[in-house]
Amino acid sequence: MPYRAPVSELRFVLDHVVGFDRVAATETFEEATPETVEAILTEAGRMAEEVLAPLNRQGDLHPAHLENGVVRTSPGFADGFRAIAEGGWIGMSADPAHGGMGLPIALTMAVNEMIGSACLALQLNPLMTQGQIEALEAHASDELRDLYIPKLISGEWCGTMNLTEPQAGSDVGALKSKAVPNGDGTYAVTGQKIYISWGDSDFAGNICHLVLARLPDGTEGTKGISLFMVPKRIPDADGNPGVANDLKVVSLEHKLGLHGSPTAVMQYDGATGWLVGEPHKGMAAMFTMMNNARLGVGVQGLSVAEAAMQHAIGYAVDRRQGKNSVKDGSILEHADVRRMVLGMKADIFAVRSIAMDCAVALDMAKATGDAAWRARGAFLTPIAKAFGTDTGIRIAGEGIQVHGGMGFVEETGAAQYLRDVRVTAIYEGTNGIQAMDLVGRKLMDGGAAAFAILDEVAETDHADLRAAAADLRTLTEWMLAQDMEDRFAGAVAYLAAFARILGVHYHLRAAAADPTRAGLARIAANRMLPEALAEMAKARTGAEELFAISSEEIAA
């Protein structure tokens, strides 16, 4: 089944669920008129359907590979990337001073969703670049901004982020990469980085690596880390790619999925780099990029969920098998298949609404400077990332189930969605880390951001949702009273409960705006609220039972 961009669904969520009109009413984003939004989503949807979707299978069957030190990308990916770049989709939210459109992040996320549904392996490339642009805008010197950002926006150059090392995964502070001053304002960067998405390609004029490394006087741990711009080719006096830098792609990972996206092991051997931001403040600068990417990765989960659902429904409509009480016909007339596909629709709507609500909050924070909007966006980010990717994995799995035995056969294409989306729950901070961030750092305000969101939910006239929101408020208060070990033990369940309650909240908003959506809202409430109650019960169990069994017993 060909991919169909959900333009009208995106418009509905923006207009009737998350209050995008508030963003467009600000001076900062006054150009985001309804007509502009419609034109952007329509054109991006057309590109996704016609140009990018045909590349998805090509990337899976013909992976990127390393040939004599050069990364050769999948057939058609270069043309697909040019279409993304020439459409201006990379720099949608970037500062117009450097060639960006200055549009809301909510529109960027909507466009990214469609690009990711069409071809997730390729969409990873501009996502990394978008995050790098934001990090440079916030932390780089004027000289670095003026040189790099316009070329990143245009797609002439591409950006990456280099955090992970063989011995330093989630514990970034354990990195061993070093940066030594050269005496001329540059630094010699040495070390090895792994899992570098789009670490190289054969269609970019330059690859711009943001690399975390430690200066000679940097302390141990994350507080002693600095951030450096280390380009593949050192720009000459005119800003064009010059001599090759002292770095290379050692190898490409052989992955479960996302075969069209080259994931590189990068080696830096005294490579020339430029400091981004203040010395020893690299993690703060990199977190700007990572937070952008975390919402973006949540949207990637949504992207695959949408594509997998469309694929499954297309198969269900065409597949004729068996008899049922309704009529002889497609398997879509079977109750169990309907359970799966309507559950997919309900969950996708919830994820899309959470992601767009988060994006709107980030836009309002930028436009108004209001700390409450900033706190809301920060609180929703780990929920959007974890729930979005968990949902993508679950729906891709159910898509295989809808196909039955044919789902296990690669030729149908159903399995690729599950293989491609699986990593999204791991990169940019595992979903367990997202949950721990939610109950840890995001509750450091005493629960103010959480309670503000729950106050909105509690205004509903749906009694069961109101009761669930009250239970979640009580659970939040319980979390605030616990030590971190007990919070962390229930963190994943707490995040899941919050996501499901928000999902029902958004469905009811949708039904109020359009009564034809009442049936799906009822399905969502009947599924999600019992799940939320179960997750809240799990969230309260604490850590004691987890550590009552020794490591030796576990490993026996």
Side-chain angles (χ1 to χ4, degrees):
M1 177 181 177
Y3 168 68
R4 299 191 308 270
V7 172
S8 61
E9 191 71 1
L10 285 163
R11 279 300 309 271
F12 181 86
V13 170
L14 289 171
D15 292 344
H16 300 291
V17 179
V18 300
F20 181 77
D21 58 313
R22 295 171 294 180
V23 176
T26 66
E27 183 178 352
T28 303
F29 297 118
E30 61 185 357
E31 293 185 8
T33 63
E35 295 76 19
T36 298
V37 171
E38 180 69 26
I40 285 173
L41 296 182
T42 299
E43 182 57 26
R46 182 202 62 77
M47 177 191 65
E49 293 174 349
E50 299 176 6
V51 180
L52 302 181
L55 303 178
N56 196 47
R57 195 68 174 149
Q58 289 294 314
D60 192 52
L61 297 175
H62 306 284
H65 62 281
L66 191 60
E67 181 180 282
N68 298 322
V70 177
V71 171
R72 301 299 182 189
T73 54
S74 301
F77 271 40
D79 291 337
F81 179 78
R82 276 193 291 271
I84 295 170
E86 290 171 3
W89 307 120
I90 298 174
M92 284 181 63
S93 296
D95 192 336
H98 293 111
M101 295 186 187
L103 290 168
I105 193 69
L107 292 186
T108 295
M109 291 299 110
V111 169
N112 283 357
E113 180 200 322
M114 293 186 284
I115 295 175
S117 289
C119 186
L120 185 64
L122 181 56
Q123 189 264 342
L124 256 174
N125 186 305
L127 180 68
M128 293 293 96
T129 299
Q130 287 167 350
Q132 186 172 114
I133 290 168
E134 186 172 357
L136 293 176
E137 286 180 342
H139 301 283
S141 65
D142 289 342
E143 183 180 10
L144 287 180
R145 288 194 196 105
D146 293 343
L147 173 59
Y148 284 90
I149 293 178
K151 295 182 184 297
L152 292 168
I153 288 173
S154 70
E156 294 176 67
W157 296 357
C158 295
T160 75
M161 56 192 300
N162 287 233
L163 292 82
T164 308
E165 298 182 7
Q167 79 295 334
S170 299
D171 182 13
V172 180
L175 65 78
K176 296 180 179 179
S177 294
K178 301 293 184 182
V180 178
N182 288 323
D184 60 358
T186 67
Y187 297 80
V189 178
T190 300
Q192 187 176 95
K193 299 288 183 177
I194 62 173
Y195 305 147
I196 309 307
S197 297
W198 282 96
D200 197 14
S201 75
D202 54 5
F203 54 69
N206 208 353
I207 309 294
C208 310
H209 301 285
L210 280 183
V211 182
L212 288 176
R214 202 181 309 277
L215 291 167
D217 59 344
T219 60
E220 293 300 311
T222 57
K223 293 183 178 180
I225 297 174
S226 300
L227 182 64
F228 301 87
M229 170 60 76
V230 187
K232 176 181 177 180
R233 293 190 172 275
I234 300 173
D236 62 20
D238 297 319
N240 298 313
V243 299
N245 210 342
D246 293 314
L247 58 87
K248 64 180 180 180
V249 177
V250 175
S251 63
L252 298 183
E253 304 291 357
H254 300 282
K255 301 176 295 183
L256 176 68
L258 288 180
H259 296 151
S261 170
T263 302
V265 176
M266 299 296 305
Q267 181 67 40
Y268 299 88
D269 295 308
T272 301
W274 285 261
L275 184 67
V276 176
E278 297 296 319
H280 319 308
K281 302 292 184 182
M283 283 305 296
M286 186 61 89
F287 262 114
T288 300
M289 186 173 186
M290 288 174 66
N291 283 331
N292 175 295
R294 283 173 174 173
L295 174 57
V297 171
V299 170
Q300 287 185 330
L302 166 62
S303 295
V304 176
E306 174 70 32
M309 179 191 70
Q310 290 189 19
H311 201 77
I313 291 175
Y315 180 83
V317 168
D318 292 338
R319 176 64 167 164
R320 329 301 283 192
Q321 182 169 303
K323 297 181 179 181
N324 56 67
S325 59
V326 181
K327 63 180 179 180
D328 294 343
S330 74
I331 62 171
L332 191 58
E333 301 303 330
H334 290 259
D336 187 57
V337 175
R338 288 196 166 218
R339 173 190 63 81
M340 287 188 283
V341 298
L342 288 172
M344 292 177 186
K345 281 184 171 289
D347 286 349
I348 286 171
F349 183 87
V351 171
R352 185 176 285 126
S353 298
I354 290 172
M356 290 299 113
D357 196 354
C358 180
V360 163
L362 297 175
D363 286 327
M364 291 300 293
K366 180 177 180 179
T368 67
D370 190 323
W373 280 116
R374 188 174 299 108
R376 183 188 184 93
F379 189 85
L380 289 174
T381 294
I383 300 176
K385 195 279 184 183
F387 186 59
T389 56
D390 282 343
T391 299
I393 293 167
R394 184 174 62 256
I395 288 178
E398 286 208 328
I400 293 175
Q401 193 73 12
V402 170
H403 282 73
M406 292 304 296
F408 205 67
V409 175
E410 284 287 356
E411 282 76 7
T412 64
Q416 183 186 345
Y417 296 117
L418 182 57
R419 290 188 287 101
D420 284 354
V421 76
R422 185 59 187 85
V423 72
T424 60
I426 298 171
Y427 60 35
E428 301 309 330
T430 67
N431 286 1
I433 288 174
Q434 303 303 317
M436 289 188 288
D437 175 57
L438 184 68
V439 301
R441 185 178 293 109
K442 298 306 190 295
L443 290 183
M444 288 176 63
D445 62 356
F451 294 145
I453 293 171
L454 290 174
D455 285 343
E456 293 178 17
V457 178
E459 294 175 1
T460 182
D461 58 3
H462 190 287
D464 289 344
L465 176 59
R466 192 164 58 248
D471 288 345
L472 186 53
R473 174 181 287 274
T474 301
L475 175 59
T476 303
E477 293 168 347
W478 180 89
M479 282 282 179
L480 289 167
Q482 308 308 307
D483 62 29
M484 281 300 173
E485 203 72 85
D486 284 330
R487 290 195 203 184
F488 289 166
V492 168
Y494 176 82
L495 185 150
F498 221 115
R500 282 160 176 75
I501 285 172
L502 284 174
V504 177
H505 174 55
Y506 297 128
H507 270 287
L508 293 175
R509 277 189 184 175
D514 178 1
T516 66
R517 293 175 177 262
L520 191 61
R522 185 165 54 251
I523 289 172
N526 289 338
R527 285 167 51 95
M528 291 183 180
L529 288 180
E531 291 171 350
L533 296 177
E535 296 292 354
M536 283 190 276
K538 288 191 289 184
R540 286 178 175 274
T541 56
E544 183 178 357
E545 66 179 25
L546 300 179
F547 292 95
I549 301 173
S550 70
S551 298
E552 290 75 17
E553 290 176 280
I554 293 172

